[in-house]
Amino acid sequence: RARRLAAALATIRPLVVDVPAVETNIVHVGTPPGAADALVAALAAHGVLTIAMDPACVRFVTHVDVDDRDVDRAVAAARSACAALASR
């Protein structure tokens, strides 16, 4: 599911994801410089918990309880969050 999440997130601009590098349940997502904290907050408002690894990287983690619907929900939240951040 992490690779599916990564592939979907890679289609959202301005996010950057190295999909082939995803080998575990961790997905690192590049953001514009300084945008990671704002993205984490926007995702949290949609119920998607992530963590900023640095000012331009957000970490998503899947686990055994994450199903396909959860992945879809996370992707939808990321689309919404990125759209909201772009309109600022």
Side-chain angles (χ1 to χ4, degrees):
R1 290 201 170 93
R3 190 167 294 242
R4 181 173 172 267
L5 175 63
L9 292 173
T11 68
I12 303 170
R13 298 294 169 245
L15 304 181
V16 177
V17 184
D18 183 359
V19 177
V22 176
E23 296 180 352
T24 66
N25 65 328
I26 298 171
V27 179
H28 288 111
V29 178
T31 69
D37 286 335
L39 179 59
V40 167
L43 290 167
H46 290 279
V48 177
L49 303 180
T50 58
I51 188 168
M53 299 302 292
D54 64 43
C57 181
V58 174
R59 184 179 76 177
F60 288 71
V61 179
T62 62
H63 54 82
V64 70
D65 295 333
V66 172
D67 61 21
D68 288 334
R69 274 195 352 233
D70 294 324
V71 170
D72 293 340
R73 188 170 59 85
V75 171
R79 284 190 200 289
S80 177
C82 287
L85 294 174
S87 68
R88 286 185 181 183

